Amino acid sequence: MSRRLVSLTLDTLEDLPRPCRQCVYWELDPVSADRACAAGDPGLEKEAWVSQTLLEWGSCGKLVYVDGMPAGFVLYAPPAYVPRSMAFPTSPVSADAALLMTASVVPAFAGGGLGRMLVQGVARDLTKRGIKAIEAFGDATFDDAADPAGACVAPADFFLSVGFKTVRPHPRYPRLRLELRTALSWKSDVEYALEKLLGSMSPETLLRPVRPAPATRSTGG
């Protein structure tokens, strides 16, 4: 099974699940979102938002593919690009953080670590851009049986499971935070241990098992 993580672009935008491709819950304020839905094609507004954010700020999403099939995605941006963020009772997002708007894994691929893979991809991207943390609004009452593919606010339990901590509690929409050094620490520790192990071996020992040296007779006087 091959897994591949790519950045969201106008080309890969079409690989989002259809409900999310047509959704502008995060990208517009509530009044504008209702107006776009009433006009009949919120997908155009979604595309315009992604285009503007890519041009002005840079990468704002990741998709993960399993054996070439879209299996999950995550969207993120500075809170200034996300009008809906101010509508939450636990807003505003901290000044040193980017907002992880939503994340979703196709149910058929759930439980395979793709959610953590997506968040780590976001963490690597944001670290390179000098951002200190990721924050998110989670849904503490999310019901997996309802319609996980169409939910706009990801479950709070998902964020907690990938390392986020609650910074502002709320019975429905807690605000959670992930320090980027925490998100990357596990992967960095594993890579360091592997490099240390490989560095202690010669190329020959990596290619074939070590054989005991032949016995030699001492030349005592």
Side-chain angles (χ1 to χ4, degrees):
M1 181 183 298
S2 66
R3 305 194 299 180
R4 182 169 59 99
L5 193 67
V6 304
S7 294
L8 178 68
T9 65
L10 292 178
D11 294 327
T12 58
L13 179 62
E14 298 305 320
D15 286 339
L16 292 182
R18 182 167 178 78
C20 302
R21 173 64 180 86
Q22 298 293 319
C23 178
V24 288
Y25 176 88
W26 289 101
E27 293 82 359
L28 301 176
D29 63 81
V31 173
S32 298
D34 289 343
R35 187 180 301 124
C37 291
D41 195 0
L44 291 176
E45 295 287 350
K46 183 89 162 192
E47 184 173 337
W49 182 88
V50 171
S51 178
Q52 180 182 4
T53 306
L54 286 170
L55 287 171
E56 296 180 358
W57 185 66
S59 180
C60 56
K62 299 287 183 186
L63 293 94
V64 62
Y65 295 81
V66 175
D67 292 337
M69 296 179 59
F73 75 96
V74 61
L75 297 176
Y76 56 98
Y81 284 79
V82 190
R84 176 74 66 163
S85 66
M86 293 306 298
F88 283 81
T90 48
S91 64
V93 173
S94 301
D96 64 346
L99 175 64
L100 196 160
M101 299 149 58
T102 189
S104 179
V105 173
V106 174
F109 297 103
L114 297 182
R116 185 176 293 274
M117 182 179 177
L118 285 163
V119 171
Q120 287 182 335
V122 175
R124 285 193 295 272
D125 178 35
L126 294 180
T127 297
K128 293 175 184 176
R129 294 151 83 167
I131 295 174
K132 303 297 184 184
I134 310 170
E135 292 192 357
F137 299 104
D139 187 347
T141 64
F142 188 92
D143 181 5
D144 287 331
D147 183 13
C152 297
V153 184
D157 286 345
F158 163 74
F159 293 118
L160 293 170
S161 73
V162 294
F164 281 72
K165 305 294 183 185
T166 302
V167 291
R168 189 168 178 191
H170 187 269
R172 179 69 189 273
Y173 294 121
R175 178 158 52 89
L176 306 104
R177 181 179 172 95
L178 178 66
E179 303 292 341
L180 291 185
R181 62 178 180 272
T182 301
L184 298 176
S185 63
W186 182 86
K187 186 174 185 293
S188 298
D189 290 346
V190 172
E191 288 178 342
Y192 173 76
L194 184 61
E195 288 172 2
K196 187 175 181 181
L197 173 65
L198 297 180
S200 67
M201 298 180 177
S202 66
E204 290 79 8
T205 62
L206 292 175
L207 295 174
R208 59 177 180 264
V210 177
R211 296 179 180 177
T216 59
R217 287 183 296 179
S218 62
T219 57

